[in-house]
């Protein structure tokens, strides 16, 4: 098995510790494949995560967001010890789980719903105005003349 060591990056980057940690954790193989899930790109700023959670009800599932980590966990109700069911084949997993998704900056959970054994979590990217690009006006002779402010159609010297 091939592994990548990101230790040299830690010595040369400043302020991007979270990015390096995410790259490091992304290279680790996730041992748990349950429950299976899909991630869809629905629109430019909208995503949908679907988890196959057959056998779980709304009361058995918890969806939480802390900082940039979305955690989905399911705790199936305890079966009575006197369960007399005899299985010839048992292919439906009835075990608890926890699955984590790392969200990009400004991605928020819009809503979640359970339908036909699929837990659907809708994510939306909402970039605040302060983080959006701003267009800067280029003036000829910058620095040699005072800038003019335009307010309500009137020009004033700054």
């Amino acid at each position: 098995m091939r592994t990548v060591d990101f230790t040299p990056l830690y010595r040369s980057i400043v302020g991007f510790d979270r990015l390096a940690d995410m790259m490091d954790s992304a290279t680790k193989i996730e041992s748990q494949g349950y429950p299976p899930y899909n991630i869809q790109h629905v629109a430019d700023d909208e995503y949908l995560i679907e988890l196959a959670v057959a056998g779980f009800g709304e009361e058995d599932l918890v969806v939480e967001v802390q900082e940039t980590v979305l955690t989905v966990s399911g705790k199936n109700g305890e079966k009575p010890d006197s369960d007399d069911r005899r299985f010839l084949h048992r292919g439906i997993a009835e075990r608890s789980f926890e699955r984590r998704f790392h969200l990009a900056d400004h991605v928020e959970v819009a809503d979640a719903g359970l339908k036909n054994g699929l837990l659907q979590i809708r994510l939306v990217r909402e970039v605040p105005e302060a983080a959006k690009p701003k267009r800067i006006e280029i003036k000829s002779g910058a620095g040699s003349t005072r800038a003019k402010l335009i307010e309500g159609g009137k020009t004033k010297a700054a």
Side-chain angles (χ1 to χ4, degrees), residues 37-57:
Y37 65 92
N38 295 328
I39 301 176
Q40 296 179 38
H41 185 220
V42 178
D44 285 342
D45 292 326
E46 188 174 345
Y47 303 90
L48 182 69
I49 297 175
E50 292 179 314
L51 287 99
V53 291
F56 288 88

Side-chain angles (χ1 to χ4, degrees), residues 75-90:
K75 185 164 255 188
N76 213 341
E78 297 296 320
K79 301 290 182 202
D81 290 336
S82 63
D83 189 3
D84 292 333
R85 299 182 296 173
R86 292 181 50 211
F87 294 96
L88 297 178
H89 171 74
R90 189 168 190 169

Side-chain angles (χ1 to χ4, degrees), residues 48-117:
L48 182 69
I49 297 175
E50 292 179 314
L51 287 99
V53 291
F56 288 88
E58 292 175 12
E59 64 280 353
D60 302 324
L61 299 168
V62 176
V63 178
E64 294 178 331
V65 177
Q66 183 177 7
E67 295 181 11
T68 60
V69 178
L70 168 66
T71 304
V72 181
S73 56
K75 185 164 255 188
N76 213 341
E78 297 296 320
K79 301 290 182 202
D81 290 336
S82 63
D83 189 3
D84 292 333
R85 299 182 296 173
R86 292 181 50 211
F87 294 96
L88 297 178
H89 171 74
R90 189 168 190 169
I92 299 174
E94 293 180 353
R95 62 181 184 260
S96 298
F97 69 89
E98 182 175 275
R99 174 134 345 238
R100 296 175 191 264
F101 300 93
H102 294 273
L103 304 178
D105 292 336
H106 312 299
V107 173
E108 303 289 330
V109 175
D111 58 27
L114 183 63
K115 183 177 180 185
N116 296 331

